Amino acid sequence: MQFYHPQFTLGFRQALEYGIDYRGYKKVDRLPEGVRLLAIAGIWGDYSDIRCLFIDQTGKTYRHHITGRAGDYIIHELDLNAKELHFGQLVVATSYPTIK
């Protein structure tokens, strides 16, 4: 996969213009724990959800659907707001924090 785009969050048509089609990414409920992932893009569905795309070192792709509001689109296993991710950022998912 060879592409570059100036920002992580994109509209669907904008992503297609960069050669990114989230429909080909494996849909997951959580990102794989302990695996280094490269952030590809966050494709807006509407103003309450975003599809976050990642790829691992072996070329496996992941699509994680995040629902949010008021600017908070938290990827819990990364403890990050999807809107704060950057194209090309390396991340490693951990288990959810324990709620006390």
Side-chain angles (χ1 to χ4, degrees), residues 3 18-20 34 37 43 49-50 53 62 66 70 84:
F3 44 75
Y18 287 112
I20 305 166
L37 300 170
I43 313 298
D49 68 326
I50 186 169
L53 309 179
Y62 304 91
I66 304 297
E84 296 173 0

Side-chain angles (χ1 to χ4, degrees), residues 17-85:
E17 289 173 8
Y18 287 112
I20 305 166
D21 186 347
Y22 72 78
R23 297 172 294 189
Y25 285 65
K26 179 183 177 185
K27 184 178 179 181
V28 295
D29 292 328
R30 354 174 352 104
L31 296 173
E33 190 173 335
V35 176
R36 289 177 51 138
L37 300 170
L38 181 76
I40 301 296
I43 313 298
W44 289 110
D46 57 29
Y47 292 107
S48 66
D49 68 326
I50 186 169
R51 290 151 183 89
C52 296
L53 309 179
F54 300 91
I55 189 168
D56 69 16
Q57 292 175 294
T58 67
K60 290 182 186 175
T61 59
Y62 304 91
R63 177 181 72 199
H64 191 12
H65 186 125
I66 304 297
T67 301
R69 63 177 184 203
D72 290 328
Y73 299 87
I74 305 301
I75 304 171
H76 294 285
E77 58 269 38
L78 297 178
D79 196 26
L80 282 173
N81 187 335
K83 289 179 65 174
E84 296 173 0
L85 281 170

